Amino acid sequence: MKQVIIIGAGIIGGAIAYEMAKAGWGVTVVDKAPEAGYGSTSNSSAVIRINYSVLETCAMALEGWSYWRDWAGYVGLPQDRPVASYKETGSLVIYSGEGAAMGRITDIMDQIGGTYERLAPEGIHRFLPGADLSSYAPARRMDDPDFGEPGEEQIGGAVFFQQAGYVNDPKLAAQNLQWAAQAAGAQYLFRSTVTALEIHDGRPTGVRLEDGRVLKADVVVNAGGPWSAGLNRMAGVTGDMTIRTRPNRQEVAYIPGPANMDYRHDGIVIADLDAEFYARPDPVGICVGSTDPACDPHEFIDDPDAVDTRFTDQWTTIVMRGAMRLPEMRIPGQASGLVALYDTSDDWLPIYDKTSLPGFYMACGTSGNQFKMAPVVGKLMTHLIAKTEAGHDHDASPLDFLLERTGRRIDLGIYSRKRKINADSSFSVMG
């Protein structure tokens, strides 16, 4: 039995572990944290949606949606185990002007079978009673004297995507994958930091841990989230990468919902590309995050272990942008929510690929938008690894991959570490 070590026990690493264990690999998952999903996964907003800027990612998201709808069936756990649940709410994407970008996305939906409804501005009130229909674009920072001032025009309109919602507990979802992978034979090692790759004859033969232990394997997979860039440097595989990844600090607010609706129970997922925020229902009321407008500088972190978790004016800016659209938003006097790290790539699309070191693979650069893809990524990486280990040159002839449930084939070259920056990307968490 061939052995694989997967570095990272988040939602992506767990899905790869589960699929590789089912495919007959001996799987060991190593993570420096005390539990599965303890890092970026636990900080995920866990939104499930199918609208992205690139066809292949939309197709993967539609496939992924089908797994989240039947999450319990996918992980196949005993009934006494708690299982994460998916709530379908639909997703409302609000846009400015003519909405050309949204037109491209709905064209993609027509190709892949995604369902949607176009709305005139007034149609938004069906989902968001009392919403302000003014346009606030372009987004501004709070030190701009025109921050919060509406323009003369209304928003352009919106698109409502029916196949969308959120997962109630992203950390539990990662634990579900751990338990499912273990049932298939995988083992997990927590509080175990990888300090070096063991390399012999130009291939990794395992990893060395901080406590001196050496774990043997035929293949190593980097699914380290915000730590993945450091792991790639440690492995010496960054030289041929044209796409880099870096930890990107983000703040997300968890606050009471608008006073005029029970957002916890009746709310939907929102992506407001005019006021530049996203939101979803939450037990507190509403979760509000940023859609990364151009005016907001990105804060890249050199050391993921040294991130400052104190809130800044980014939190206030996000909340106030949400209140522009939802005037009855209740804003607490004290910041609440979380500070998280996205493993952000240069074009905000992921890297699912081999590397220049044979036997070392990467599933990184997930940019805060790949949680929903996890079941598909597990299958995709298992396919890519098996074919490459059997001798296929994925760099010279990129593999394609069959999405089993929707029947579509996608070109995996789109996620190559050696690709050009994808000009179709939104260059934001929207992907």
Side-chain angles (χ1 to χ4, degrees), residues 100-121:
M102 289 308 304
R104 290 194 297 271
I105 292 171
T106 55
D107 286 346
I108 292 172
M109 294 297 113
D110 292 338
Q111 294 178 60
I112 68 172
T115 60
Y116 63 90
E117 178 185 1
R118 296 179 185 272
L119 300 173

Side-chain angles (χ1 to χ4, degrees), residues 215-230:
L215 307 178
K216 298 294 186 180
D218 302 288
V219 165
V220 177
V221 180
N222 177 4
W227 290 267
S228 66

Side-chain angles (χ1 to χ4, degrees), residues 94-428:
I94 299 170
Y95 59 83
S96 305
E98 298 296 324
M102 289 308 304
R104 290 194 297 271
I105 292 171
T106 55
D107 286 346
I108 292 172
M109 294 297 113
D110 292 338
Q111 294 178 60
I112 68 172
T115 60
Y116 63 90
E117 178 185 1
R118 296 179 185 272
L119 300 173
E122 293 75 16
I124 290 172
H125 286 152
R126 193 170 96 218
F127 303 99
L128 302 174
D132 184 344
L133 302 182
S134 302
S135 176
Y136 290 91
R140 298 175 174 87
R141 293 184 55 76
M142 289 188 65
D143 56 6
D144 189 310
D146 291 326
F147 180 84
E149 291 295 323
E152 296 181 358
E153 303 293 329
Q154 280 192 330
I155 54 173
V159 178
F160 182 72
F161 296 89
Q162 288 90 348
Q163 295 148 307
Y166 66 96
V167 174
N168 70 326
D169 190 336
K171 186 175 184 296
L172 178 58
Q175 291 176 319
N176 292 160
L177 289 170
Q178 174 196 342
W179 300 334
Q182 288 172 325
Q187 62 174 328
Y188 274 62
L189 299 178
F190 294 111
R191 294 187 172 90
S192 299
T193 300
V194 174
T195 57
L197 282 183
E198 296 288 305
I199 298 175
H200 182 69
D201 289 340
R203 285 186 63 94
T205 57
V207 300
R208 183 176 296 275
L209 303 182
E210 192 173 45
D211 62 8
R213 285 181 295 167
V214 174
L215 307 178
K216 298 294 186 180
D218 302 288
V219 165
V220 177
V221 180
N222 177 4
W227 290 267
S228 66
L231 291 167
N232 285 334
R233 290 191 296 270
M234 181 184 72
V237 298
T238 59
D240 71 343
M241 294 177 66
T242 57
I243 300 291
R244 61 180 173 174
T245 68
R246 294 177 290 174
N248 175 12
R249 183 184 180 279
Q250 295 279 332
E251 298 179 24
V252 178
Y254 289 80
I255 60 176
N260 64 332
M261 64 183 299
D262 185 354
Y263 211 88
R264 289 175 298 175
H265 298 103
D266 302 329
I268 61 173
V269 172
I270 305 170
D272 192 325
L273 307 182
D274 177 273
E276 297 288 6
F277 73 95
Y278 72 82
R280 69 155 174 83
D282 182 79
V284 173
I286 189 169
C287 164
V288 185
S290 172
T291 52
D292 303 292
C295 64
D296 291 356
H298 291 129
E299 184 180 353
F300 294 106
I301 305 297
D302 292 329
D303 181 3
D305 293 314
V307 63
D308 187 342
T309 58
R310 294 172 295 183
F311 292 111
T312 67
D313 61 357
Q314 182 186 2
W315 184 95
T316 310
T317 301
I318 293 167
V319 170
M320 294 302 292
R321 285 175 178 157
M324 293 175 196
R325 186 69 61 218
L326 304 173
E328 296 203 38
M329 186 84 83
R330 291 170 289 184
I331 302 174
Q334 182 172 350
S336 59
L338 55 86
V339 176
L341 291 174
Y342 293 166
D343 178 27
T344 307
S345 75
D346 287 333
D347 58 7
W348 292 73
L349 301 178
I351 303 173
Y352 301 134
D353 201 3
K354 58 174 282 192
T355 72
S356 58
L357 176 64
F360 186 71
Y361 297 82
M362 62 175 76
C364 57
T366 48
S367 302
N369 60 46
Q370 293 289 296
F371 175 94
K372 55 197 69 58
M373 310 294 188
V376 187
V377 174
K379 293 176 180 291
L380 179 161
M381 290 299 296
T382 301
H383 170 74
L384 188 153
I385 292 167
K387 291 292 187 181
T388 304
E389 291 299 301
H392 182 84
D393 188 343
H394 181 54
D395 283 345
S397 179
L399 292 160
D400 64 6
F401 177 65
L402 175 64
L403 301 170
E404 298 171 352
R405 298 193 175 189
T406 54
R408 188 176 190 91
R409 288 191 176 273
I410 59 172
D411 176 7
L412 297 188
I414 198 92
Y415 303 120
S416 169
R417 73 197 186 281
K418 300 173 73 173
R419 67 179 182 261
K420 295 180 180 178
I421 288 178
N422 195 319
D424 291 331
S425 172
S426 69
F427 295 92
S428 74

